[in-house]
Amino acid sequence: MDFIEVALKVNPEFADIFTAEMGELGFDAFVETEEGFNAYIDEDKFDQHELDNMIARYAGYTTVEYQVQKIERQNWNAEWERNFEPLFIGGQASVRASFHEKPAEAKYDIVINPKMSFGTGHHETTTLMIENQLTLDHQGKRVLDMGCGTGILAIMAGELGASEIVAVEIEDWTVENARENAELNGYGNIDVRLGGAETIEGDQPYDIILANINRNVLLDDMPAYVAVLKPAGTLLLSGFYTEDLPALQERAAELGLTYVSHRTKNNWVSAIFKNS
């Protein structure tokens, strides 16, 4: 199936808002540009009327220009190669494409070929998750990555010494991409599953659970995460805004989790919780 690209020219102050809004419409990959960002969605999920209505809601707040075009699946690599700049996160982790050189100072090195999957590290939520991962002891731990996208967080867990890693995604082509990236980084033993929270029911407990999805899915699925989280295990969440944090904290407390800390970047949040 081919994709629809929507190229937006938008005020930087509204870029994250539009990213979140378009995520709710089914757009699942985003590339920053000098004038805003490009958003991508499966052709059969694109609804021009929904997009127009969403943009119209902000007419009194900011000006927005956009163009829509069809992108053939086989052209995606050229699209992200043109925009993908290497990253250095937390002073330790390099995130790069296969055509970039590894930085000499990188303690951890992750190579990502996204192929339309979310998670190159460029979005604030992925960066925040990796920054928080760098503070956690993964050595010999059993780790779950929910909504794994490219598999970047699962691969980071491997770099940090996790012994068992499970990654879950709802799109079959994303699962394929996560497996490819895991192999590329030498972690072909990562168990990448197709589905949602139902795929982890009855699993052996995890020491660390990573979930970078969105506010509503996190609130709905948190009980499923806690059900397979070890006592004193860590739940690391992202994909929501600062104003959503109290709702996540309240839900976590209801499930017996203790809030530990959180990081923010451009109003996006990554929070750490501990199981009782």
Side-chain angles (χ1 to χ4, degrees):
M1 182 180 298
D2 294 327
F3 302 99
I4 296 296
E5 175 194 78
V6 178
L8 286 92
K9 295 181 180 179
V10 61
N11 186 312
E13 294 180 2
F14 285 83
D16 286 336
I17 294 173
F18 276 93
T19 300
E21 288 274 17
M22 294 179 77
E24 293 294 324
L25 296 181
F27 288 82
D28 53 15
F30 304 89
V31 175
E32 292 183 7
T33 66
E34 292 184 358
E35 297 177 306
F37 64 90
N38 296 343
Y40 300 87
I41 188 172
D42 286 339
E43 186 178 13
D44 66 341
K45 295 180 181 177
F46 178 63
D47 187 318
Q48 180 74 57
H49 183 66
E50 283 187 346
L51 177 65
D52 289 338
N53 284 345
M54 183 275 289
I55 291 176
R57 292 200 300 271
Y58 293 90
Y61 302 94
T62 185
T63 58
V64 182
E65 296 179 27
Y66 73 90
Q67 292 182 328
V68 177
Q69 68 170 325
K70 180 177 175 179
I71 300 289
E72 294 184 5
R73 181 178 290 272
Q74 60 263 33
N75 291 341
W76 170 242
N77 282 359
E79 198 66 33
W80 68 261
E81 283 181 19
R82 189 162 57 245
N83 294 283
F84 188 8
E85 294 294 329
L87 296 174
F88 197 55
I89 299 174
Q92 300 183 66
S94 164
V95 180
R96 61 186 177 90
S98 53
F99 51 84
H100 295 135
E101 292 292 326
K102 175 185 175 181
E105 67 274 24
K107 184 176 181 180
Y108 308 106
D109 183 46
I110 299 174
V111 178
I112 293 294
N113 293 332
K115 293 186 178 177
M116 282 302 295
S117 299
F118 180 83
T120 59
H122 288 78
H123 194 273
E124 288 88 344
T125 58
T126 314
T127 299
L128 289 167
M129 288 288 282
I130 290 175
E131 288 177 345
N132 270 332
Q133 278 186 272
L134 289 169
T135 71
L136 301 178
D137 177 14
H138 287 62
Q139 195 66 44
K141 305 295 187 183
R142 181 169 161 81
V143 178
L144 171 66
D145 179 9
M146 294 297 299
C148 67
T150 59
I152 185 172
L153 302 182
I155 295 166
M156 186 73 247
E159 288 286 294
L160 292 168
S163 59
E164 295 180 74
I165 307 168
V166 174
V168 179
E169 247 301 340
I170 61 171
E171 298 283 357
D172 54 0
W173 52 267
T174 307
V175 168
E176 177 186 345
N177 183 224
R179 287 173 177 158
E180 290 173 350
N181 286 321
E183 291 275 0
L184 183 62
N185 287 271
Y187 298 105
N189 60 334
I190 293 176
D191 177 9
V192 185
R193 303 176 184 174
L194 175 64
E198 76 284 350
T199 66
I200 63 172
E201 185 176 352
D203 276 7
Q204 292 296 311
Y206 296 91
D207 298 284
I208 299 171
I209 297 179
L210 314 167
N212 180 16
I213 309 179
N214 65 55
R215 173 188 183 275
N216 293 336
V217 172
L218 294 175
L219 290 172
D220 288 343
D221 289 353
M222 210 183 298
Y225 306 157
V226 175
V228 293
L229 183 62
K230 287 183 179 180
T234 301
L235 176 62
L236 179 49
L237 305 178
S238 193
F240 55 92
Y241 290 119
T242 305
E243 53 267 30
D244 299 320
L245 180 59
L248 272 297
Q249 290 173 311
E250 181 179 351
R251 185 65 163 146
E254 292 171 354
L255 296 167
L257 299 174
T258 301
Y259 163 77
V260 177
S261 63
H262 73 276
R263 297 170 183 266
T264 63
K265 187 175 182 181
N266 295 330
N267 205 37
W268 291 99
V269 179
S270 176
I272 299 176
F273 299 89
K274 276 281 187 182
N275 202 7
S276 57

